[in-house]
Every structure is written in structure tokens, then in C-alpha cells.
Amino acid sequence: MLGPIAETDDRAMPLSLGRALNAVASLGRAALDFVYPPTCLACRAAIAQSGALCARCWRDIRFIERPFCERLGAPFEQDLGPGLISPQAMADPPAYNRARAVARFEDGPARRLVHRLKYSDRMELAKPIGRWMARAGADILADADILAPTPLHPLRLLRRRFNQAALLAEVVGQATGKPCDFTLLARIKATKAQFGLSRAQRAENVQGAFRVPAGAEARVRAKRVVLVDDVLTSSATANAASRALLRAGAASVDVLVFARVVTGA
Ligand SMILES: [Zn+2]
């Protein structure tokens, strides 16, 4: 008698257990949504489901899609055909090979998201932002051997307690299965904030700011590296970091950010 029942139970158990666990999980979610009603990731307006943008921010955020310059990842006004390089990238080529970004940084939801990621709510935001980045950077990530976050100077890290670029790199790594190396690159110079500096001053400010530590050189050599950061503004930081990786023998460096400044980038 035990036999058939046990057999039936064996087959039925996983299903009903699964259903029961699902029910508990959705109850848990519902309870959580009741205590912390879901809000827009950018503006905190009430929304139906957590981990998303409200309709207004969704309308206002300016996602970067093709056509864009294959080198800089900056959008073109008109589609002139695939594989184009902007005059700006030809006149002043970056040290990195290609850059990709999810959205324009200029005023709006993208700027608010970056600010919240840096100064609050980082755990809530790193996941969705990192997943968007994995999608926007699919072409450069497909070619990548290793991901490296743009490092903070140890003093700044101490003050801020976390590096938002490292959080994003971790999520992008999880989403793509690419390994993430947090100590591939070191920031050896405490630079001033880039805000308010001219293009030339920005380049000078970050000159020599990065180095591949002696112990990490073997991990860089002949590798195709994707440098991960939250924002790309003048490219000065990304260029300085890319040069350090290339000097240490990286085969190539691509750059993946959440948001980039488009005008005068
Ligand atoms: Zn919103």
C-alpha cells in the first residue's frame, strides 16, 4: 500500500512543493510591496512593479541606439549606414577601441539614476542598471575576456565605502558570464573632481592616475578588456585607464558605461 502512494507522492511532491514555494514567494513579495510600495528607480513615483521606471521617466530617458559612431558610441543625427566612425573619432581617436552606453547623461532620469547609485540606494539600482548595460554593450561584451571596473583612489574608496563601477561590473559579469577582475587596475593618483574643468585640464588631471599593479600584469597581457564605469563624460578618465591597460599588454580595451555625455564628448 505504501508503494503506490509513495510513488504518486514522489511525482506529486515536487509540483506541489514548487507551487507552495511559489505561493510563499509571491506572498513575500506582496508583503514587501505592501511595506515598501514599489517606486520608480529614478524619481521614486509610485509604480505597479518594483525595479522599473515610471511611465514619465521611461518617456524622458534617452536611450542610445544605432545609428551611432562605432568607436565613441555617440549617436548620429541621421542613419548614414552601418559601421560609421564620427569625424570627431577620426580627428581625435580615443585610446580605447569602442565605447557603449545605455543612455544619454544630460538632464533627466539617467542623471538622477547615476546620482542615486552614487549616493544612496546603490543595491536597489546596481542590478537593473547593470542588466541594461549588459544589453547595450552586447557587441563589445561578446568579444571580451575580462571586465575591469574603473577604480577609485583608496582614499576616496575609504570615504565613499564602495565603488559604484565595481558594483555595475559585478552585475554585468553575472549577466554575461564574463569574469570580473576588481584589482586589474589601480588608481595611484588622487585626482580632483573633473567637474568644471576644461577638456585639456581633465586630460591633465587624470594623466598617470592609473596603473596595472605588478602582480596583475600577467592577468592583463593579451586580454581583451572591457572597462566598466557609471558615466563617460570627456573620455579623459577612460583614456587614461585604457592607456594603463594597453601599456601593461592588454590586446584591446573597450568601455562600457551606463550614461554618457553626448554634446562635446
Ligand atoms: Zn520616474
Side-chain angles (χ1 to χ4, degrees):
M1 188 173 164
L2 271 176
I5 292 173
E7 206 181 294
T8 318
D9 278 354
D10 271 357
R11 265 178 277 146
M13 261 298 271
L15 260 182
S16 53
L17 187 66
R19 231 177 270 139
L21 285 175
N22 273 342
V24 170
S26 54
L27 258 178
R29 259 197 311 276
L32 211 62
D33 283 354
F34 181 73
V35 181
Y36 304 105
T39 55
C40 168
L41 293 174
C43 74
R44 289 179 157 163
I47 53 171
Q49 205 182 356
S50 55
L53 295 176
C54 69
R56 189 179 180 162
C57 289
W58 191 255
R59 189 196 64 205
D60 290 347
I61 194 167
R62 295 166 79 191
F63 289 110
I64 295 178
E65 282 160 355
R66 287 196 159 82
F68 54 61
C69 166
E70 286 300 318
R71 287 295 303 277
L72 301 175
F76 288 131
E77 294 295 315
Q78 339 171 290
D79 195 352
L80 301 170
L84 277 187
I85 307 291
S86 62
Q88 191 191 351
M90 277 191 269
D92 185 15
Y96 52 82
N97 191 21
R98 298 169 292 179
R100 298 290 179 262
V102 174
R104 292 180 180 229
F105 180 62
E106 290 85 347
D107 292 315
R111 185 185 281 264
R112 274 199 298 273
L113 284 166
V114 168
H115 192 268
R116 287 190 62 196
L117 177 71
K118 257 189 191 133
Y119 301 106
S120 59
D121 310 309
R122 55 193 180 267
M123 298 326 279
E124 183 198 352
L125 285 169
K127 273 212 169 139
I129 291 179
R131 289 199 194 115
W132 286 337
M133 288 168 69
R135 233 174 296 154
D139 61 342
I140 60 171
L141 289 164
D143 297 336
D145 294 313
I146 198 158
L147 313 178
T150 303
L152 290 178
H153 188 268
L155 286 178
R156 182 167 294 184
L157 186 61
L158 205 66
R159 211 168 41 230
R160 197 151 336 120
R161 298 204 307 271
F162 74 101
N163 176 4
Q164 72 279 5
L167 289 179
L168 296 176
E170 199 175 359
V171 178
V172 173
Q174 283 162 359
T176 56
K178 298 285 176 177
C180 192
D181 194 324
F182 299 100
T183 54
L184 208 58
L185 196 59
R187 197 160 190 144
I188 52 170
K189 197 169 117 184
T191 50
K192 288 179 282 188
Q194 297 280 71
F195 182 77
L197 300 182
S198 74
R199 199 178 157 76
Q201 284 168 329
R202 281 170 184 254
E204 197 190 316
N205 187 31
V206 290
Q207 171 112 35
F210 298 95
R211 193 171 61 196
V212 171
E217 274 172 355
R219 306 204 302 274
V220 174
R221 207 162 296 134
K223 291 285 164 47
R224 292 166 298 183
V225 182
V226 170
L227 189 68
V228 178
D229 211 346
D230 55 347
V231 182
L232 187 69
T233 45
S234 68
S235 281
T237 304
N239 276 330
S242 300
R243 279 192 206 101
L245 288 162
L246 291 167
R247 265 200 308 272
S252 66
V253 181
D254 290 319
V255 174
L256 178 61
V257 297
F258 166 58
R260 65 162 301 142
V261 172
V262 170
T263 39

